[in-house]
Amino acid sequence: MKTCFIEQSCGLGDILLSAKIGNHYSSLGYDVVWPVEATYNYIDKYIKAPGVTFVDKNTEFKNKDKYYSLVEKKVCEVTEFDECLYVPIKNSFFSSAGRKLMSNTGYHDYANMHGKFAMCSLDPKGWQDYFSIKRNLEKEQQLFSYLQLHNSHYHLVNKNFGTPPRWREVLEKKVITPFGHKRVEMFVSSDYTIFDWLKVFEKADRIDTVSTSTFYLFEKLNLKCTPAVYSRNTSFRSYEENFEWLQKFARNNYIFIS
């Protein structure tokens, strides 16, 4: 069976969104191998994406040298080689499909995220159905207890985005916690993965989060509230984020704040 490499090693939200792409190439008969950053080496313990094998990019895997040579060449189109099929969705913005979307919409994030599917001639509709979450209820309860959230109304706030430790940013906007609510700030920890926060997400009375992987997890949960999702606009960004691209991915209701 010929290997299909998916190049999207970072961005947990990007990975979850694109599970449908991995499934597509598996259905065509490829052995789909998806190298991820070491910070996500736990991912196969928490999600199941039919036909996809996630591997730590720093470990040994079949045709690893070929994969890294293609990463270095910055290939921007789905390309078939003797050793493998290469699907560089990380470079979707620079693909012919991504450039066309940029020309048509004028929005960087739209071209980047929707371009992942366009460069593979796929429709993103139903992306939520191509992975399932394997919940660690014991760890979820452990975190819930550590935060002392039993019998309390609480406000979950997440200002962090990016793939740590190499890239991490913080939302600059001020978020006010309503009177009578306990404020819970999300944090990055070696003790808990983002998947261990799922119970905290579900039981929150209010959620304010920057646009990041939390959105893609919310789409798989039964939330108590309607989350507010904030644009990642910061002082050094040269463009305004347009939430139309994210709204097209959503099944649930959200309050989008630019």
Side-chain angles (χ1 to χ4, degrees):
M1 186 181 295
K2 194 169 187 177
T3 300
C4 167
F5 283 124
I6 307 290
E7 189 200 348
Q8 181 71 64
S9 64
C10 61
L12 180 59
D14 299 66
I15 293 170
L16 298 176
L17 170 69
S18 306
K20 180 176 181 176
I21 294 172
N23 177 266
H24 168 71
Y25 288 107
S26 174
S27 72
L28 295 180
Y30 291 96
D31 177 24
V32 179
V33 176
W34 197 316
V36 296
E37 300 284 345
T39 192
Y40 297 135
N41 62 12
Y42 60 80
I43 195 171
D44 61 345
K45 294 182 177 130
Y46 286 91
I47 73 166
K48 181 178 180 181
V52 175
T53 301
F54 293 104
V55 297
D56 183 332
K57 63 184 288 188
N58 299 312
T59 62
E60 290 302 316
F61 53 87
K62 184 180 178 181
N63 291 325
K64 179 179 180 180
D65 290 343
K66 179 65 175 179
Y67 171 78
Y68 271 100
S69 72
L70 294 170
V71 171
E72 290 175 4
K73 290 178 181 176
K74 301 187 185 303
V75 176
C76 297
E77 305 290 349
V78 177
T79 309
E80 187 101 34
F81 298 93
D82 291 338
E83 304 95 326
C84 65
L85 175 70
Y86 188 61
V87 184
I89 55 175
K90 182 181 178 183
N91 300 328
S92 57
F93 181 76
F94 302 101
S95 68
S96 56
R99 293 196 303 272
K100 183 177 180 180
L101 284 173
M102 183 64 186
S103 176
N104 291 342
T105 68
Y107 291 109
H108 179 281
D109 291 300
Y110 198 115
N112 180 38
M113 301 301 280
H114 285 265
K116 298 180 190 303
F117 293 91
M119 69 187 291
C120 300
S121 299
L122 292 174
D123 186 332
K125 185 177 181 180
W127 63 268
Q128 300 92 332
D129 303 325
Y130 290 85
F131 72 94
S132 57
I133 301 176
K134 298 182 285 184
R135 297 180 66 162
N136 186 331
L137 299 180
E138 183 177 346
K139 285 294 292 294
E140 289 183 36
Q141 184 59 44
Q142 184 181 354
L143 176 60
F144 198 81
S145 297
Y146 171 76
L147 295 171
Q148 300 181 352
L149 299 179
H150 297 283
N151 301 317
S152 66
H153 294 289
Y154 64 91
H155 174 205
L156 180 67
V157 178
N158 175 46
K159 292 188 172 186
N160 300 299
F161 60 103
T163 299
R166 183 166 49 84
W167 176 52
R168 184 177 172 190
E169 296 187 61
V170 179
L171 178 70
E172 294 179 349
K173 294 183 176 69
K174 187 175 182 180
V175 177
I176 304 296
T177 294
F179 176 78
H181 287 66
K182 177 176 181 176
R183 186 182 181 99
V184 179
E185 296 266 4
M186 284 192 70
F187 55 84
V188 178
S189 167
S190 59
D191 295 325
Y192 301 104
T193 75
I194 190 171
F195 293 94
D196 298 325
W197 286 82
L198 297 187
K199 181 174 181 178
V200 179
F201 294 164
E202 287 183 323
K203 302 296 183 181
D205 293 278
R206 176 168 174 170
I207 297 175
D208 285 85
T209 177
V210 66
S211 173
T212 187
S213 58
T214 49
F215 164 83
Y216 302 92
L217 293 172
F218 294 162
E219 284 288 285
K220 301 288 285 186
L221 302 175
N222 292 315
L223 300 176
K224 185 178 179 180
C225 65
T226 300
V229 180
Y230 290 73
S231 165
R232 292 171 296 170
N233 294 332
T234 58
S235 58
F236 62 84
R237 291 180 186 272
S238 61
Y239 61 90
E240 289 290 311
E241 188 165 21
N242 181 296
F243 275 120
E244 182 183 355
W245 70 270
L246 194 59
Q247 290 172 314
K248 287 182 179 294
F249 289 146
R251 282 179 175 170
N252 297 333
N253 294 320
Y254 300 91
I255 301 167
F256 293 105
I257 302 175
S258 297

